[in-house]
Amino acid sequence: MVLRVAGYNVRSMKDDVAALGRVISAVRPDVLCVQEAPRFLCWRRRRGQLAASGGLTVAAGRRLGGVAVLVGPRVRLLHGEGHLLRCFLGLEQRAVAIAVVETEGRRVAVASVHLDLDRGARLCHATEALTLLRAVADRFGALPVLAGDINEQSHEPAWRHLAGHLTDCYPVSPRGDGLTFPARRPGKRIDAIFAAAELPVLSCGVAEADPADLVAATDHLPVVAELGRPRP
């Protein structure tokens, strides 16, 4: 089975929620890593509504930090957890959400992150999130995958750190130009999926959906990677 892992910054569901649901349905993710998930009034209910709009369920994520992992019916959820990352005075609280899923005997630990606009905080949080992800993956005998809004491009330090430990999926098997932000006129690739080297990347790029819905749903475009069975 091909595992579809997606990452999507939903801007706290402040835009067209119906369009957002249609985009998630079109993406058909087995695992969806959400950034800027609702975190204020009725946050649990709103995250549940977001998941249900695409036939998914909430697997992991705390209120603070605004990240979550949603899973679909084709995978079995084994574990979910969330961690706050180091606090920087004057900056937004960041977090990582991690879910371990299994399909056809394959276990994958998937993390969702949303890194800061501050360069130093980004690198610190990228390092911390990767350490937490690897610890969970090792505990469950799973392969690590990380998806998120990196808030920088591939030549910058936090991205290079992640790509030095996991495979940046898009360059391996690109689909489309890979540009994710802003949704209306994308000019940067700041959203990405990174996977363990043992996981073959069959394709990676911006998910296909109605162009009008993509623009109306939020200010980022969703990224999806199709991952094959692990190499021996």
Side-chain angles (χ1 to χ4, degrees):
M1 168 184 151
V2 174
L3 184 71
R4 290 176 63 85
V5 177
Y8 201 10
N9 183 321
V10 302
R11 214 171 83 92
S12 297
M13 299 173 68
K14 293 177 180 177
D15 300 291
D16 187 329
V17 176
L20 182 61
R22 290 192 295 269
V23 169
I24 293 174
S25 294
V27 172
R28 298 178 293 108
D30 295 307
V31 183
L32 176 61
C33 295
V34 176
Q35 298 84 49
E36 293 195 36
R39 56 192 176 94
F40 295 115
L41 187 64
C42 302
W43 65 276
R44 285 192 181 89
R45 178 176 60 81
R46 298 185 69 212
R47 290 186 187 189
Q49 290 174 339
L50 177 68
S53 70
L56 310 173
T57 57
V58 179
R62 305 171 59 129
R63 181 182 71 82
L64 292 178
V67 290
V69 180
L70 316 180
V71 298
R74 296 203 310 159
V75 298
R76 183 166 72 99
L77 177 64
L78 300 179
H79 176 73
E81 63 183 62
H83 298 271
L84 297 180
L85 301 177
R86 176 183 170 186
C87 182
F88 286 83
L89 187 63
L91 300 182
E92 186 176 333
Q93 177 67 65
R94 301 292 175 175
V96 59
I98 305 171
V100 181
V101 300
E102 185 177 58
T103 175
E104 297 181 345
R106 164 182 49 179
R107 290 187 175 187
V108 180
V110 186
S112 177
V113 295
H114 184 190
L115 300 185
D116 206 272
L117 295 172
D118 179 85
R119 181 186 180 100
R122 280 199 304 272
L123 181 56
C124 175
H125 290 156
T127 303
E128 191 177 356
L130 189 58
T131 298
L132 289 165
L133 171 60
R134 284 201 176 279
V136 174
D138 289 347
R139 195 161 82 240
F140 284 87
L143 294 172
V145 175
L146 183 146
D149 176 355
I150 311 304
N151 260 326
E152 68 177 33
Q153 299 185 78
S154 60
H155 63 281
E156 297 180 87
W159 192 301
R160 292 205 316 267
H161 178 78
L162 294 171
H165 291 82
L166 300 172
T167 300
D168 181 357
C169 293
Y170 176 74
V172 174
S173 187
R175 187 182 64 253
D177 61 18
L179 303 178
T180 63
F181 183 83
R184 188 168 296 277
R185 299 185 69 177
K188 296 180 179 180
R189 184 168 78 98
I190 63 172
D191 304 87
I193 299 173
F194 302 86
E198 296 90 339
L199 288 168
V201 181
L202 308 181
S203 72
C204 183
V206 171
E208 295 179 354
D210 185 310
D213 282 343
L214 288 170
V215 170
T218 176
D219 58 347
H220 286 247
L221 297 176
V223 179
V224 61
E226 295 183 316
L227 305 175
R229 293 191 63 83
R231 300 182 182 94

